Amino acid sequence: MANGNFTRVTEFILIGVSERLDLQIPLFFVFLVIYGLTVTGNLSIITLTSVDSRLQTPMYFFLRHLAIINLGNSTVIAPKMLINFLVKKHTTSFYECAIQLGGFLVFIVAEIFILAVMAYDHYVAICNPLLYMAVVSRRICLLLVSLTYLYSFSTSIVTSFSVFSMAYCSFNVINHFYCDIVPLLALSCSNTSFPETVVFISASTNLMFSITVVVASYFNIIVSILRIRSSEGRKRAFSTCTSHMTAVSVFYGTLLFMYLQPRNNHSLETDKMASVFYTLVIPMLNPMIYSLRNKDVKAALKRFLTNSCC
């Protein structure tokens, strides 16, 4: 951008999901329902896996943290988004925008790695059942989750700092419904090669590591299941992994669609639709995926409701 007198940006304007005025109220109610279901579903998973003695296993420990991450990711985005459907001025301060991006990165990176951890947990449970409690002990579970949060927080700090250390001058309209990296860098009036490199290295490293762990885990799981002679045993082993495989497929499918599409087909409108899916829709779907296909969770819910009514 040519040198000149620019006004330093102190706030940004979020365009939102749609600029059409006649869609603002209908969209408000659609996303209010989505967020309401997200909060209800994930809080239910967190509560059940915390209070029910039969769900005090590594698998449900990781599921509880996936629910915490899903709830956090959605809450970073949805409240501000819902408010903007109802007001005319969709502004967010510079620092509020930085905090939102930082929070989003913490939870999205944490989700990438917690899904990999859950895949490893399933691998140990099916391929090395006799060593399961030794390999996935409570200490190891706490260590894996702690490292996940520590790494995601560190990644968020580094990436957010690199994005917001750029100069933003005059033009401040973000073509998105929250503060995301790509539309923010598009507004910068300084050289964006450093933050783009940071984002590319971080995103590619995180995705490749996580996907490698997931694919390797499920490859070994499938090989082990096919060796089981009993059809009932194979069915039971597959049912243990079905929910997680579904959640992983939906999540990574959305991310890969977004980041691996050809550059000439890439647009901010496509990014917005993909972002709606992995920031709002997936956090709503995950509790349904894990509860509807999980007899233990459904039984725990029945016990919880029975005890609450007594």
Side-chain angles (χ1 to χ4, degrees), residues 10 13-14 17 24 63 85 133 175 221 259:
T10 58
I13 298 172
L14 295 166
V17 176
Q24 300 306 300
L63 178 58
F85 282 126
M133 294 311 298
N175 186 16
I221 287 170
Y259 290 108

Side-chain angles (χ1 to χ4, degrees), residues 31-43 283-284 287-288:
F31 287 106
L32 180 63
V33 170
I34 290 174
Y35 183 57
L37 291 173
T38 300
V39 172
T40 303
N42 285 289
L43 281 180
M284 175 192 70
M288 299 180 188

